[in-house]
Amino acid sequence: MITQEQKEITKLDVNKIRIDFPILNTNIYGHSLVYFDNAATTQKPNQVIDSISDYYKNYNSNVHRGVHHLSQMATDRFEEARRTVRDFINAESEKEIIFTRGTSDSINLIASSFGKAFVRKGDRVLITAMEHHSNIVPWQILCEDREAQLDVIPIDEKGELIFEEFEKLLDSDVRILALPYVSNSLGTVNPVKKIIEAAHSHGVPVLLDAAQAVQHIPVDVKELNVDFLAFSSHKIYGPTGMGILYGKEEWLEKIPPYQGGGEMIHTVTFEKTTYNELPFKFEAGTPNIAGAIGLDSALKYVTNLGIDSIHIYENKLYQYALEKLSSIKELTFIGEAKERAGAISFVIENTHPFDVGEILDKQGIAVRTGHHCTEPIMDQFKIPGTIRASFSFYNTKDEVDRLVLGLNRAKQMLL
Amino acid sequence: MITQEQKEITKLDVNKIRIDFPILNTNIYGHSLVYFDNAATTQKPNQVIDSISDYYKNYNSNVHRGVHHLSQMATDRFEEARRTVRDFINAESEKEIIFTRGTSDSINLIASSFGKAFVRKGDRVLITAMEHHSNIVPWQILCEDREAQLDVIPIDEKGELIFEEFEKLLDSDVRILALPYVSNSLGTVNPVKKIIEAAHSHGVPVLLDAAQAVQHIPVDVKELNVDFLAFSSHKIYGPTGMGILYGKEEWLEKIPPYQGGGEMIHTVTFEKTTYNELPFKFEAGTPNIAGAIGLDSALKYVTNLGIDSIHIYENKLYQYALEKLSSIKELTFIGEAKERAGAISFVIENTHPFDVGEILDKQGIAVRTGHHCTEPIMDQFKIPGTIRASFSFYNTKDEVDRLVLGLNRAKQMLL
Amino acid sequence: MTIKEKQDEIIADFSFFEDWMDKYEYIIQLGKELPLIDEAFKTDDKLIKGCQSRVWMHAEEKEGKVLFSADSDALITKGLVSLVIKVLSGHSAEDIHNADIYFIDQIGLKSHLSPTRSNGLLSMLKQMKLYALALKTRHQLEK
Amino acid sequence: MTIKEKQDEIIADFSFFEDWMDKYEYIIQLGKELPLIDEAFKTDDKLIKGCQSRVWMHAEEKEGKVLFSADSDALITKGLVSLVIKVLSGHSAEDIHNADIYFIDQIGLKSHLSPTRSNGLLSMLKQMKLYALALKTRHQLEK
Ligand SMILES: Cc1ncc(COP(=O)(O)O)c(C=O)c1O
Ligand SMILES: Cc1ncc(COP(=O)(O)O)c(C=O)c1O
């Protein structure tokens, strides 16, 4: 139920917003760009682009330990970014915010360091059948190294987790559960609060892959009571090469460092090295300073629009797209979970997704086709891939209409 | 011996070059900035800054596997960057160029993956007494995991490797030798060609930490016959969050992947995952696309000036600085190797480096003070740290004179 | 027609089309017309790697000429395969191996295909030339 | 003088200086004047973490007043320590614990110290307040 107040805040002025994103004016083969590949990466507002240039033009310097003014400025802004992230996900402390290269890097960090500390021969690690490869392969590598077992919570034909099966898999041999908040290929929003509670009741910590969540729905790590959470800057309007790992302080204290190098040490001798305190213990080497500063601007941009407003606006657009796409009778949705966000996947009878994607491209419409790094889902649905349209707050109903027109044209040509 | 031709190419027009670097116009406490902290990170020319903005404004998109035009453009430019790196260090093939987050990330990758494949209980790993922490800690972690032994090649009081000691340490238990091309705190340029030959004659592969080399001297991996080489974009005029790992194809084929995720796989099922070919096998997750594009511009900028010309110009400036600094009688150089580049470290009798650095800063002069992430060197020289001035081709003799003036002022205040 | 003449013909054909949609219509039409490969040949060892879509290709030699046939699960890919087969099929192994293939660049296909697709096209070409090379070498050995 | 008054005095002192070099001259002067800590107290457990330079601090209580003494291997650090000691030393544990320390910000020191230095200063302050808190708690328990 949407209250009056919520109705007010849904009034995002999309035309005004679009001015902030220079790339949206691009022409592709003579058509104005319709960018529906937001789940792969989002576009960047001028605010983000300018903050990066500003950094390089005015106060570029290596951070921490510097004695000079530029280093001070860079350090201040870099650490401000950490506090911005802390506030954005409502973490308890900035010690819980680790800067990484991206979601994949964050997950690898946990798989490796948590694995080293807690996963032993015969233990089990739980993931779901709707993972992105980035939340499969690190655990496979861990389980192979440790002779542990990787178990998979199945999904039903709608693309929802089968909760009863999950509960059956939960027992005292499970060391950690890793799952996506929102699926990147099906759009499924998992009932993570309930899942985390169930896992915790068996003493199992949970890592949330929030790569497709933070840009669409409000995420509050305290309310979720989640143990680890990972996301990528480039999917939430920030720069590439930058990611976040949130971890509860008590967990981060318990697990060993991941990489070795500058920054993450306290003292080094050849005999014995002691590690720095959180969050630096997990940040080896010169960090992506411009990346942090750009992410800071991106999160401020999103906060300024209001993540609630974004959620409401995008949800409306999502429903509109579902309705319009349904008018194409050869179209089958892949993923029909009750709660969905971000991406819509579908196939068109007797056509190959790749062909459809290419013809859409020639009409200026950017979608993604293929397995979306979720091959096991494609295997389950017995398809080579899907066409995926994924949305942002800068997309419009007109653009959805152009997608539907484009699909009809593709159908005409291919069938 | 400098030939006539070399004399010609030394004529870098530093005034023209400085226009490319907007930050060099900054005022610090009313003084124009003298930036002598180049070993920590270099400043960026407009060419680099603009290429990043241009990417985000005109063709930002996730790379590889995309069916649409923007993705094509981004992929082309991203892979062009890889070829630029290949040519810059004269690698055989772009398969040998792995994009990482920085030197530390590159070294960690090798310590972990090479370690997994080749380092067993009782084996030995060789490093030197002049390592940056980033080339110590990853090997310590590896050796602890594998119950291997870390051996250290000592240096003499001039800051040069003791070759005879190195030869004594070389035997068939050594699995790998890791060492810096140029020391970041002493400026020592190691005779790496000779060292690599000696190591190879015992069948020991070599990793070169070239973080302080590639921006100062021509580096040719084929001529060096080096097995692995690591460097950071941000130290060679490129963006932060970006690094390079070069590895001989035969070695990279032999070692397992490091991180798991998107990009680095060929096919994924829950039972069995097969890995992508080189270089993608080592690149998990969305890469730092803007980082690669910025690095591409940076290397083109450096190539355009000519790395030989840079080397000659910087060397002149280095010698000038040595001479001028020698005029301060309370000053002692730390590191007096015959061959040096990049950084000059020193201490001033009865003053703390930290105090000197702070007073220089107030005069607009940025140097670094402390242990420069090389604590073992400080322990060997029994000092708490040094003052380090490190140079770039955009620095001038006038700036060196300002440093000397600034040091004299600091001396006055502190003594 | 020589390989060169065939390429020039395709280039001429494509120059008639004003926009990319028309070019694609044409490519798709070619795809629909491509004689299907014998189902017996649609095996994994005939599969060409490097495509989002799958391509099977079979080659055989008859009376000194190499004949290619192919199929794909995607129609545009099939059309592209068809173009390449048009150009190369029916020539001697020697000619195929030495052929300079320029029509893809000239009709602007390369820069307008998705990277995956153009990689696929390139690996297909490579495969065909490799096959020709293998035949050529065998002929030389037999001499 | 109260802690507040002492801070205001320092702020007034600093307002005379036109540029940062003069401020530093003054801080260094203070450093040179700081009464040295008893060598016996320069032990690892008196060492304060978080500095590029090292700071040893000793505290004791006399007649209801907390007295701090300190030393550092760096002169500017010593000067800064001296400022903080000037402000806090000689007050009751209660007052020290409750004190609002604003002079560092007001004289612009915080934004002009290198991050390492200002972190060092902050951890020093924290240490002093912690010591005061410990004393205060002991007093309350003794009551
Ligand atoms: C010799 C050397 N190695 C490694 C590094 C680490 O580089 P990064 O911090 O970019 O990972 C540095 C940089 O300080 C260095 O000077
Ligand atoms: C659900 C999910 N997890 C993880 C990732 C990996 O993110 P990155 O490529 O930024 O590391 C993605 C991005 O494609 C994703 O959608």
Side-chain angles (χ1 to χ4, degrees):
Chain A
M1 234 187 47
I2 293 175
T3 64
Q4 187 56 36
E5 191 191 8
Q6 279 173 320
K7 261 192 200 139
E8 284 305 316
I9 57 172
T10 63
K11 284 180 188 147
L12 285 190
D13 186 345
V14 65
N15 291 321
K16 218 173 120 215
I17 287 170
R18 289 178 68 87
I19 297 171
D20 291 333
F21 291 81
I23 206 173
L24 297 179
N25 285 320
T26 310
N27 266 287
I28 307 284
Y29 303 110
H31 307 273
S32 66
L33 169 67
V34 173
Y35 187 75
F36 280 157
D37 194 17
N38 293 290
T41 201
T42 53
Q43 298 305 336
K44 321 302 172 200
N46 281 321
Q47 287 83 339
V48 168
I49 303 172
D50 293 346
S51 72
I52 297 169
S53 299
D54 179 50
Y55 164 68
Y56 285 129
K57 285 185 180 172
N58 295 306
Y59 61 101
N60 170 62
S61 174
N62 212 324
V63 291
H64 305 303
R65 282 185 317 256
V67 72
H68 58 79
H69 186 68
L70 293 179
S71 176
Q72 158 110 23
M73 282 178 77
T75 304
D76 284 353
R77 291 284 283 110
F78 181 75
E79 290 302 327
E80 183 184 332
R82 203 188 296 278
R83 291 187 295 272
T84 301
V85 175
R86 176 199 64 196
D87 295 345
F88 188 75
I89 60 171
N90 195 30
E92 185 67 34
S93 150
E94 62 266 36
K95 289 186 187 176
E96 300 179 322
I97 308 299
I98 316 289
F99 288 142
T100 66
R101 201 182 53 225
T103 307
S104 304
D105 195 27
S106 299
I107 295 173
N108 277 281
L109 192 165
I110 292 304
S112 170
S113 291
F114 181 94
K116 228 178 186 181
F118 293 110
V119 179
R120 298 279 169 274
K121 190 171 169 166
D123 286 348
R124 287 163 56 223
V125 169
L126 272 191
I127 59 175
T128 77
M130 63 169 95
E131 301 308 330
H132 187 279
H133 294 162
S134 292
N135 208 21
I136 301 176
V137 187
W139 304 109
Q140 285 182 323
I141 294 175
L142 167 69
C143 288
E144 202 182 303
D145 277 4
R146 300 263 146 185
E147 301 177 55
Q149 185 179 323
L150 189 62
D151 283 334
V152 182
I153 308 168
I155 57 176
D156 62 22
E157 71 291 339
K158 284 187 145 40
E160 292 185 338
L161 280 183
I162 306 176
F163 200 83
E164 301 72 50
E165 296 294 325
F166 162 52
E167 285 184 309
K168 275 189 224 155
L169 286 167
L170 261 184
D171 68 28
S172 62
D173 288 342
V174 177
R175 288 294 149 265
I176 190 165
L177 160 65
L179 82 165
Y181 199 147
V182 176
S183 153
N184 68 306
S185 53
L186 304 172
T188 311
V189 180
N190 286 311
V192 291
K193 189 145 192 230
K194 190 172 136 198
I195 291 170
I196 292 167
E197 267 169 25
H200 283 177
S201 76
H202 286 77
V204 175
V206 178
L207 176 145
L208 266 192
D209 172 355
Q212 300 293 348
V214 284
Q215 66 279 54
H216 299 303
I217 51 184
V219 171
D220 180 326
V221 292
K222 260 191 247 164
E223 199 208 310
L224 292 174
N225 196 16
V226 67
D227 303 282
F228 303 105
L229 180 133
F231 66 93
S232 298
S233 156
H234 73 94
K235 292 186 197 281
I236 187 167
Y237 310 99
T240 58
M242 183 69 204
I244 295 298
L245 170 66
Y246 160 83
K248 279 188 189 162
E249 190 174 340
E250 55 190 281
W251 278 115
L252 293 180
E253 289 290 1
K254 275 187 219 154
I255 66 179
Y258 177 46
Q259 298 190 319
E263 290 282 319
M264 56 71 75
I265 54 88
H266 181 226
T267 57
V268 173
T269 66
F270 290 120
E271 293 72 38
K272 176 104 201 95
T273 290
T274 59
Y275 298 119
N276 205 335
E277 46 191 42
L278 289 174
F280 308 108
K281 168 179 156 190
F282 291 104
E283 295 178 0
T286 303
N288 188 349
I289 306 167
I293 287 166
L295 174 60
D296 179 79
S297 299
L299 295 182
K300 282 174 177 158
Y301 187 89
V302 165
T303 303
N304 203 29
L305 293 183
I307 186 76
D308 290 307
S309 310
I310 289 171
H311 182 47
I312 294 168
Y313 177 88
E314 288 180 349
N315 192 40
K316 265 199 204 158
L317 192 67
Y318 196 98
Q319 298 307 327
Y320 181 80
L322 283 180
E323 188 193 312
K324 288 286 157 169
L325 289 169
S326 306
S327 71
I328 303 174
K329 79 171 191 316
E330 295 85 352
L331 183 149
T332 308
F333 292 109
I334 303 295
E336 301 189 273
K338 239 187 347 266
E339 282 253 28
R340 276 185 282 169
I344 299 179
S345 262
F346 55 88
V347 290
I348 293 179
E349 224 170 78
N350 294 320
T351 68
H352 195 288
F354 195 25
D355 287 336
V356 177
E358 188 109 26
I359 295 174
L360 289 176
D361 175 49
K362 295 300 167 297
Q363 302 174 76
I365 304 162
V367 296
R368 193 146 289 238
T369 64
H371 55 58
H372 318 298
C373 290
T374 57
E375 281 188 74
I377 295 182
M378 303 303 134
D379 294 346
Q380 170 159 354
F381 286 94
K382 297 198 174 45
I383 46 177
T386 75
I387 303 153
R388 182 186 73 181
S390 52
F391 305 100
S392 158
F393 51 70
Y394 47 59
N395 291 127
T396 65
K397 288 185 179 176
D398 284 353
E399 291 182 317
V400 171
D401 294 342
R402 277 198 41 207
L403 171 64
V404 174
L405 279 175
L407 285 169
N408 278 317
R409 177 86 197 263
K411 232 179 56 187
Q412 246 173 44
M413 289 168 70
L414 292 167
L415 290 180
Chain B
M1 236 187 48
I2 293 175
T3 64
Q4 185 56 36
E5 192 191 9
Q6 278 173 321
K7 260 193 201 138
E8 282 306 314
I9 57 172
T10 64
K11 283 180 189 147
L12 286 189
D13 186 346
V14 65
N15 291 321
K16 218 172 122 214
I17 287 172
R18 289 177 69 88
I19 297 171
D20 290 334
F21 291 81
I23 207 173
L24 297 179
N25 284 321
T26 310
N27 266 286
I28 308 283
Y29 304 111
H31 306 272
S32 66
L33 169 66
V34 174
Y35 187 75
F36 281 156
D37 195 18
N38 293 291
T41 201
T42 53
Q43 299 305 337
K44 320 303 171 200
N46 280 321
Q47 287 82 339
V48 168
I49 304 172
D50 293 347
S51 72
I52 297 170
S53 299
D54 178 50
Y55 165 68
Y56 285 129
K57 286 186 179 172
N58 294 306
Y59 61 102
N60 170 62
S61 174
N62 213 324
V63 290
H64 305 303
R65 282 185 319 255
V67 72
H68 56 79
H69 186 68
L70 292 179
S71 176
Q72 158 112 25
M73 283 178 75
T75 303
D76 284 353
R77 289 285 281 109
F78 181 74
E79 291 301 328
E80 183 184 334
R82 204 188 298 276
R83 290 188 296 272
T84 300
V85 175
R86 176 199 64 195
D87 294 345
F88 188 75
I89 58 171
N90 194 28
E92 185 67 35
S93 150
E94 62 265 38
K95 289 186 186 174
E96 302 180 318
I97 308 298
I98 316 290
F99 288 143
T100 67
R101 201 181 54 226
T103 307
S104 304
D105 195 27
S106 299
I107 296 173
N108 276 281
L109 191 165
I110 292 303
S112 170
S113 291
F114 182 93
K116 228 177 184 181
F118 293 109
V119 179
R120 298 282 168 271
K121 188 169 169 169
D123 285 349
R124 287 162 56 222
V125 169
L126 272 192
I127 59 173
T128 77
M130 63 168 93
E131 300 308 329
H132 187 279
H133 294 162
S134 292
N135 208 21
I136 301 176
V137 187
W139 304 108
Q140 285 183 323
I141 294 176
L142 166 69
C143 288
E144 203 182 304
D145 278 4
R146 299 264 146 184
E147 302 178 56
Q149 186 181 321
L150 189 62
D151 283 333
V152 182
I153 308 168
I155 57 176
D156 62 22
E157 69 292 340
K158 284 186 146 42
E160 292 185 337
L161 280 183
I162 306 175
F163 201 82
E164 301 71 50
E165 296 294 325
F166 160 53
E167 285 185 308
K168 276 188 224 154
L169 286 167
L170 263 183
D171 68 29
S172 63
D173 288 342
V174 177
R175 288 292 149 267
I176 189 166
L177 160 65
L179 83 164
Y181 199 146
V182 176
S183 153
N184 69 306
S185 54
L186 304 172
T188 312
V189 180
N190 285 310
V192 291
K193 189 145 192 232
K194 188 172 136 199
I195 292 171
I196 292 168
E197 267 168 25
H200 283 177
S201 76
H202 287 77
V204 175
V206 178
L207 176 145
L208 265 193
D209 171 356
Q212 301 293 347
V214 283
Q215 67 278 56
H216 299 303
I217 51 185
V219 171
D220 180 326
V221 293
K222 259 192 246 160
E223 199 208 310
L224 292 174
N225 196 16
V226 67
D227 304 282
F228 303 104
L229 179 133
F231 66 93
S232 297
S233 156
H234 73 94
K235 293 187 197 280
I236 187 167
Y237 310 99
T240 59
M242 183 69 202
I244 295 299
L245 171 65
Y246 159 82
K248 278 187 188 162
E249 189 173 342
E250 55 188 281
W251 277 115
L252 294 179
E253 289 291 1
K254 275 187 218 157
I255 66 178
Y258 178 45
Q259 297 190 318
E263 292 280 321
M264 55 70 76
I265 54 87
H266 181 226
T267 57
V268 172
T269 66
F270 291 120
E271 293 72 38
K272 176 101 202 101
T273 290
T274 58
Y275 299 118
N276 204 337
E277 47 191 41
L278 290 175
F280 308 109
K281 167 179 158 190
F282 291 103
E283 295 179 359
T286 302
N288 188 350
I289 306 166
I293 287 165
L295 173 60
D296 179 80
S297 300
L299 295 183
K300 283 173 177 159
Y301 187 89
V302 166
T303 303
N304 202 29
L305 292 184
I307 186 74
D308 290 306
S309 309
I310 290 171
H311 182 46
I312 294 169
Y313 177 88
E314 288 180 349
N315 191 41
K316 266 199 205 159
L317 192 67
Y318 196 98
Q319 298 307 328
Y320 181 80
L322 283 181
E323 186 193 314
K324 288 286 158 169
L325 289 168
S326 305
S327 71
I328 302 174
K329 79 170 192 313
E330 296 84 353
L331 183 149
T332 309
F333 292 109
I334 305 295
E336 302 187 274
K338 234 178 2 254
E339 281 255 28
R340 277 185 282 169
I344 299 179
S345 262
F346 55 87
V347 291
I348 292 180
E349 224 172 76
N350 295 320
T351 68
H352 195 287
F354 194 25
D355 287 336
V356 177
E358 188 109 25
I359 295 174
L360 289 177
D361 176 48
K362 296 300 167 298
Q363 303 174 77
I365 304 162
V367 297
R368 193 144 289 238
T369 64
H371 55 57
H372 319 299
C373 291
T374 56
E375 280 188 75
I377 294 182
M378 303 304 134
D379 294 346
Q380 170 160 352
F381 285 94
K382 297 198 172 48
I383 47 177
T386 75
I387 304 153
R388 182 186 72 182
S390 53
F391 306 100
S392 157
F393 52 70
Y394 46 60
N395 291 128
T396 64
K397 288 186 180 176
D398 284 353
E399 291 182 318
V400 171
D401 294 342
R402 279 204 32 212
L403 171 64
V404 174
L405 278 175
L407 285 169
N408 279 316
R409 177 87 196 263
K411 233 176 57 185
Q412 247 172 46
M413 288 168 71
L414 292 167
L415 289 181
Chain C
M1 276 203 284
T2 64
I3 291 178
K4 186 171 176 312
E5 284 163 353
K6 285 180 178 173
Q7 292 192 76
D8 292 340
E9 192 180 66
I10 292 174
I11 293 168
D13 284 355
F14 268 83
S15 70
F16 283 114
F17 302 119
E18 301 241 313
D19 81 352
W20 272 96
M21 288 306 270
D22 295 336
K23 296 187 190 177
Y24 272 82
E25 296 259 23
Y26 182 67
I27 293 170
I28 290 166
Q29 201 46 47
L30 289 174
K32 289 181 179 165
E33 287 166 8
L34 181 71
L36 284 182
I37 203 172
D38 195 319
E39 278 296 321
F41 294 137
K42 278 171 90 167
T43 52
D44 276 3
D45 64 312
K46 307 265 176 196
L47 206 60
I48 297 179
K49 259 180 56 175
C51 308
Q52 233 189 55
S53 52
R54 290 182 297 173
V55 176
W56 297 266
M57 173 162 303
H58 172 68
E60 53 189 341
E61 203 179 16
K62 267 196 188 143
E63 300 164 11
K65 310 277 178 212
V66 185
L67 302 176
F68 293 100
S69 61
D71 198 4
S72 170
D73 55 352
L75 215 45
I76 294 174
T77 312
K78 236 167 120 174
L80 295 171
V81 176
S82 163
L83 279 175
V84 178
I85 288 186
K86 233 187 188 166
V87 168
L88 290 183
S89 201
H91 292 275
S92 71
E94 170 101 33
D95 286 351
I96 293 171
H97 177 66
N98 294 332
D100 169 28
I101 302 298
Y102 52 85
F103 80 98
I104 298 175
D105 267 346
Q106 289 235 348
I107 60 182
L109 255 181
K110 187 149 171 272
S111 60
H112 288 103
L113 283 179
S114 59
T116 342
R117 188 94 70 179
S118 88
N119 286 342
L121 199 59
L122 291 181
S123 45
M124 201 157 62
L125 263 174
K126 209 158 79 182
Q127 200 91 349
M128 292 166 92
K129 289 199 155 200
L130 269 180
Y131 183 80
L133 178 66
L135 279 176
K136 206 180 110 183
T137 320
R138 207 172 66 202
H139 295 165
Q140 278 165 346
L141 290 176
E142 284 165 3
K143 268 179 204 157
Chain D
M1 279 204 284
T2 63
I3 291 177
K4 188 173 175 310
E5 285 163 351
K6 284 180 179 172
Q7 293 191 77
D8 293 340
E9 193 180 65
I10 292 173
I11 293 168
D13 284 353
F14 268 81
S15 71
F16 283 114
F17 302 119
E18 300 241 311
D19 81 352
W20 272 97
M21 288 306 271
D22 295 335
K23 294 187 191 177
Y24 271 82
E25 297 259 21
Y26 181 68
I27 292 170
I28 290 166
Q29 201 46 46
L30 289 174
K32 290 181 179 165
E33 288 165 8
L34 181 72
L36 284 181
I37 204 172
D38 195 319
E39 278 296 320
F41 294 137
K42 278 171 91 166
T43 51
D44 276 2
D45 63 311
K46 307 267 176 195
L47 205 60
I48 297 178
K49 260 179 54 175
C51 307
Q52 234 191 54
S53 51
R54 290 181 297 172
V55 175
W56 297 266
M57 174 162 301
H58 171 70
E60 54 189 340
E61 203 179 16
K62 270 197 185 140
E63 302 164 11
K65 309 277 178 214
V66 185
L67 301 177
F68 293 100
S69 60
D71 198 4
S72 169
D73 55 354
L75 215 44
I76 295 174
T77 312
K78 237 167 119 175
L80 296 171
V81 176
S82 163
L83 279 175
V84 178
I85 288 186
K86 232 186 188 168
V87 169
L88 290 182
S89 201
H91 294 275
S92 71
E94 172 101 32
D95 285 352
I96 293 169
H97 177 66
N98 295 331
D100 169 27
I101 302 298
Y102 52 84
F103 81 98
I104 297 174
D105 267 344
Q106 289 235 347
I107 61 181
L109 255 180
K110 187 147 169 273
S111 59
H112 289 104
L113 284 178
S114 59
T116 340
R117 188 94 72 178
S118 88
N119 285 341
L121 200 60
L122 291 181
S123 46
M124 198 158 63
L125 264 174
K126 209 159 81 182
Q127 199 92 347
M128 291 166 93
K129 288 199 157 201
L130 269 180
Y131 184 79
L133 177 67
L135 279 177
K136 206 179 109 183
T137 319
R138 206 170 68 201
H139 296 164
Q140 278 164 348
L141 289 176
E142 284 165 1
K143 266 178 203 157

